[in-house]
Amino acid sequence: MPGLYHRFAVTVLKAGLLFPAWSMATEAVPFDTAELDRTISPCTDFDRFVNARWLAAHPIPPDEVRWGVFDQLTLESLHVQHDIAEQAAGATATANGDGVRRQIGLLYRSGMDVAAIERAGLTPLRPTLDAIARLKTSEDTAVFLAHAAAEGQPFVFAFDVQGDFRDARKQIAAAAPAALGLPNRDYYADVRYAQERKAYRAYMVRLFRLAGDGAPEQAADDALALETALAKVTLSPVEARQPANQFHAVRVAEADRLTPHFPWAPFLAAQGLSAQDEFSMAPPAFFAGFDRLLASAPPAQWRAYLRFHALDQAAPYLAQAFQDASFDFHGRTLTGQQNDKPRWQRVLGTMNAYMGEAMGQLYVARTFSPEAKQRAQVLVTRLLDALKARIEALDWMSQATKARALAKWRAFVPKVGYPDHWRDWSGLDLSATGYYANVRALARHEHRDAMARVGKPTDRSRWSVLPQTVDAFYRAEDNSITFPAAILQPPFFYADGDDAINYGGIGAAIGHEATHGFDDAGRQFDGQGNQTDWWTAEDNARFNARADALVRQFDAYAPLPDHPDVHINGRLTLGENIADLGGVYIAYDALQSALKANPDEAGRRIDGYTQDQRFFLAFARIWRAHMRERQTLVYLSSNPHATPRERIMGTLGNVPAFAKAFQCKTEDAMTRPADRQVRIW
């Protein structure tokens, strides 16, 4: 699901200045020009001109892997959720809590009860480990995988619900690869990742030792051997984001032919589904490879692999020794994070992962008003109107394809602020003690909720993200664009800010998400969410030629000076780069329409900068961030977004209005020659 920064989607928001419930008198200055580094020309390096001084003054905190606008909002606003959780926990302690608030309080209390977690040790995980120890045959393993999935504890592949790509009006069950513990398949063979592989094996040994395994070194070798084999049949990140690899409808007979050693009828029955139902199993090559390994890999390898992943999944919820092992590898080794986050933040992370909409319900009640939602909806409408005008004006697209693009535009489902209807959490049984048991109960509840939607009509009003997430999203399978409450605040949106700042901030974000409906993946779906080709052959070729030019532009960027051979993958990041570029164009057009309606504002300078200049200043500010080197390496290998600096530099080099606003000359570094500029939407 494409988003602005969804791999770093953060939870909650600071006291929102957009919101009447909070003091409007404290709203920050929309843009502090004292932050600008005037020793750098905006035409030479616009990112450094806007962001260098701020980044120098705000080093990455020890418990973070990157630091920027999104992360700053998170840290400031986590305290809001913290207060909600603490109050809910206090209410449950005095038997005054009820409903959603009670469930939040119980989960939070159990997560913060360090003494109880330490006393429990490995006991909560013993039933799973014992079941794995009894596996002797491929048949045993198949039965275990089915029952584990039914408990919301999948191994090897995930099993969830999604829209049917052929008929988006209905929901269908879907199996998808989830076999690897390293960022992607290259980490298992590429010489560049030899140290990461060595550290991964050492982490396996450490967990096996903590669990009392009598031969931890051998177990690690067995687990890594099987996982390496699974990596060979796993798609690359570029391949995985292609819609053709995300859906393959089968019935049980076809699925069984593909995986003769893994029977699907009992698996479906364990999930409460009928063996007569179709489901998606994509990509087929992965499942065929999994089946070959199920039949050929020694049972000892399967036991070691499953034992390790059970330990790895549970480690954050177990005794401190397991938590430390998990952080040392996943945090310190892979991403360069120096310190783990405070315990209360980690518990809130668990809460948002498993019952985030419950927290969102309380969060919205405290911080986001219906009036704020209405104001944001008006802005979304203005940006969508600007996209419509751009589609109508395209000079490279035929009228036939334009008509279909406009039909998709008319079918957008904007979601703003928070859901109109909240989830029902009845039937969920949590306790104030037993943190891991609560996590397992939540996982079962989530899985059963998903399976209950299989075969049902698609509810396009349903939210798949949380109101307290500082991000925005597009979903092709229902053609929805979502703007959670948490992003509708400074520095993205100012209730009393000038149009230029707001259109350059939240306006570009709205345009970004809308453009995803027409990026290289989104354009393969119609307005209802069906995967279909609505393009003429000629327009398809024209789109691909423009997209390929954007790929080449971003392929050329090598963000890390100490790793000049490590480049952005322009194909992997294509969808986000198209959306960044489209978002700027759409938001800029919307600003011009707003200024045309208000001529006095159009000519006004604020702090010495024109409205056009302030628009681009705001755009560069929302992407300001720096990352640790190790996190950047992981990011470049796996993330569909370009690195923050290159999102600014690469995008604005394709926007003539930027060069005009700052009077850049043709020889300036920020000015890309006209014949090399890319414009798609």
Side-chain angles (χ1 to χ4, degrees):
M1 178 170 53
L4 294 172
Y5 247 129
H6 69 274
R7 278 293 293 272
F8 299 100
V10 293
T11 54
V12 310
L13 119 96
K14 73 172 182 180
L17 301 174
L18 177 62
F19 315 130
W22 295 76
S23 172
M24 299 298 289
T26 60
E27 178 157 312
V29 175
F31 196 96
D32 183 1
T33 56
E35 292 181 348
L36 300 176
D37 189 340
R38 291 183 174 85
T39 68
I40 302 169
S41 166
C43 297
T44 299
D45 190 325
F46 196 63
D47 173 47
R48 294 186 62 220
F49 172 70
V50 177
N51 297 322
R53 293 186 65 187
W54 188 93
L55 293 173
H58 296 82
I60 303 172
D63 60 351
E64 299 284 349
V65 297
R66 53 155 275 222
W67 194 245
V69 166
F70 288 79
D71 318 281
Q72 189 178 41
L73 290 179
T74 304
L75 187 62
E76 293 173 354
S77 58
L78 273 171
H79 292 286
V80 177
Q81 273 196 357
H82 189 201
D83 186 55
I84 291 171
E86 288 280 358
Q87 289 187 17
T92 61
T94 58
N96 292 325
D98 59 2
V100 167
R101 193 178 306 275
R102 176 173 173 76
Q103 301 287 11
I104 286 175
L106 290 171
L107 178 60
Y108 186 76
R109 283 181 63 193
S110 71
M112 295 301 294
D113 192 345
V114 174
I117 293 170
E118 289 296 321
R119 285 195 302 271
L122 194 59
T123 301
L125 191 60
R126 281 294 176 198
T128 299
L129 297 179
D130 290 345
I132 292 170
R134 292 191 293 268
L135 303 180
K136 305 298 183 185
T137 66
S138 62
E139 292 82 6
D140 293 342
T141 301
V143 171
F144 171 80
L145 292 177
H147 287 294
E151 291 294 302
Q153 190 179 21
F155 296 93
V156 184
F157 60 90
F159 198 76
D160 208 339
V161 63
Q162 67 175 55
D164 189 325
F165 281 18
R166 304 159 304 172
D167 182 358
R169 294 172 298 179
K170 65 181 182 181
Q171 295 289 288
I172 190 170
L180 308 184
L182 290 173
N184 64 58
R185 70 179 189 184
D186 290 344
Y187 277 72
Y188 295 84
D190 194 313
V191 66
R192 291 181 299 167
Y193 303 115
Q195 290 303 310
E196 286 82 354
R197 286 194 296 277
K198 182 178 179 181
Y200 190 41
R201 182 187 177 279
Y203 172 52
M204 290 179 171
V205 171
R206 185 174 177 183
L207 284 188
F208 286 136
R209 281 206 176 105
L210 287 171
D213 195 297
E217 300 279 351
Q218 182 61 55
D221 288 339
D222 285 342
L224 189 55
L226 181 59
E227 191 165 324
T228 300
L230 286 165
K232 291 178 181 177
V233 297
T234 299
L235 297 181
S236 70
V238 171
E239 294 167 329
R241 63 173 298 271
Q242 298 307 312
N245 292 322
Q246 297 170 1
F247 185 86
H248 179 73
V250 295
R251 293 191 182 276
V252 165
E254 181 183 347
D256 284 348
R257 285 194 295 272
L258 191 64
T259 62
H261 303 93
F262 187 86
W264 285 93
F267 179 89
L268 294 175
Q271 317 314 311
L273 303 178
S274 168
Q276 306 305 312
D277 294 339
E278 278 189 301
F279 63 99
S280 172
M281 189 169 69
F286 169 82
F287 288 92
F290 151 65
D291 184 78
R292 290 192 299 272
L293 290 168
L294 188 61
S296 63
Q301 287 189 1
W302 275 103
R303 288 193 298 271
Y305 169 84
L306 294 170
R307 183 176 174 85
F308 164 69
H309 281 283
L311 289 164
D312 181 46
Q313 292 171 16
Y317 318 112
L318 299 178
Q320 191 64 47
F322 289 93
Q323 297 172 46
D324 289 344
S326 179
F327 169 73
D328 283 346
F329 177 72
H330 292 294
R332 199 184 313 276
T333 298
L334 275 187
T335 69
Q337 185 176 339
Q338 296 172 5
N339 297 338
D340 206 352
K341 291 183 179 298
R343 180 162 194 85
W344 64 267
Q345 290 189 27
R346 287 180 276 142
V347 175
L348 287 179
T350 301
M351 186 175 298
N352 282 298
Y354 288 103
M355 56 184 307
E357 192 167 311
M359 171 59 80
Q361 187 173 349
L362 301 183
Y363 159 80
V364 165
R366 177 180 290 203
T367 61
F368 196 77
S369 72
E371 292 80 13
K373 183 170 183 171
Q374 291 170 5
R375 286 199 296 273
Q377 286 170 329
V378 169
L379 193 58
V380 170
T381 298
R382 290 176 182 170
L383 270 294
L384 290 179
D385 287 345
L387 171 59
K388 178 175 182 284
R390 290 197 67 81
I391 293 171
E392 292 171 334
L394 288 175
D395 59 4
W396 59 268
M397 182 179 283
S398 70
Q399 290 302 317
T401 304
K402 278 185 185 180
R404 297 175 189 129
L406 291 169
K408 179 167 187 175
W409 174 87
R410 286 190 291 272
F412 269 132
V413 179
K415 302 174 184 178
V416 177
Y418 53 87
D420 293 328
H421 305 285
W422 297 102
R423 282 187 58 182
D424 180 7
W425 295 90
S426 60
L428 181 62
D429 185 19
L430 302 181
S431 69
T433 59
Y435 187 36
Y436 183 71
N438 281 342
V439 170
R440 294 267 38 91
L442 284 161
R444 282 193 299 275
H445 186 274
E446 286 293 281
H447 183 68
R448 291 169 185 173
D449 177 78
M451 294 300 98
R453 287 185 276 130
V454 172
K456 301 293 194 303
T458 296
D459 179 3
R460 296 180 76 195
S461 69
R462 182 183 177 92
W463 277 51
S464 57
V465 297
L466 306 177
Q468 64 270 32
T469 301
V470 182
D471 209 337
F473 301 87
Y474 172 75
R475 271 170 55 96
E477 65 184 70
D478 62 6
N479 197 31
S480 64
I481 47 176
T482 304
F483 307 100
I487 201 171
L488 300 171
Q489 60 162 332
F492 292 93
F493 181 83
Y494 294 82
D496 295 330
D498 53 298
D499 282 341
I501 292 297
N502 284 332
Y503 281 97
I506 194 63
I510 294 169
H512 172 107
E513 298 309 330
T515 304
H516 270 309
F518 303 96
D519 69 16
D520 61 310
R523 75 184 189 92
Q524 299 181 45
F525 295 81
D526 66 15
Q528 302 306 311
N530 301 300
Q531 187 180 8
T532 184
D533 186 359
W534 47 269
W535 293 68
T536 67
E538 295 79 10
D539 289 333
N540 184 65
R542 294 186 189 108
F543 177 94
N544 285 333
R546 290 165 181 258
D548 288 345
L550 197 59
V551 168
R552 290 191 295 272
Q553 284 185 8
F554 279 85
D555 275 344
Y557 288 115
L560 293 171
D562 291 340
H563 298 271
D565 59 330
V566 180
H567 287 243
I568 289 176
N569 186 328
R571 188 64 62 184
L572 175 60
T573 59
L574 178 58
E576 299 298 335
N577 297 335
I578 290 173
D580 281 344
L581 183 56
V584 169
Y585 270 115
I586 292 164
Y588 182 79
D589 285 359
L591 172 63
Q592 301 312 305
S593 295
L595 295 178
K596 185 176 180 181
N598 188 357
D600 291 341
E601 185 73 8
R604 185 164 70 107
R605 285 178 176 261
I606 300 176
D607 296 328
Y609 290 92
T610 68
Q611 290 290 289
D612 280 14
Q613 289 173 333
R614 286 174 66 79
F615 170 88
F616 292 112
L617 293 174
F619 172 77
R621 178 176 59 177
I622 64 173
W623 299 125
R624 67 164 49 143
H626 46 175
M627 291 191 287
R628 298 190 186 280
E629 182 179 274
R630 298 200 66 79
Q631 171 62 19
T632 304
L633 289 169
V634 173
Y635 195 89
L636 290 169
S637 74
S638 306
N639 198 288
H641 300 81
T643 38
R645 170 176 167 78
E646 284 66 35
R647 294 182 77 167
I648 299 167
M649 303 290 283
T651 299
L652 295 184
N654 288 312
V655 182
F658 165 78
K660 181 179 179 181
F662 287 92
Q663 299 179 321
C664 300
K665 300 179 176 62
T666 55
E667 65 270 19
D668 286 332
M670 288 296 302
T671 305
R672 184 174 281 122
D675 61 351
R676 290 169 48 204
Q677 291 179 5
V678 175
R679 179 176 64 86
I680 302 178
W681 296 102

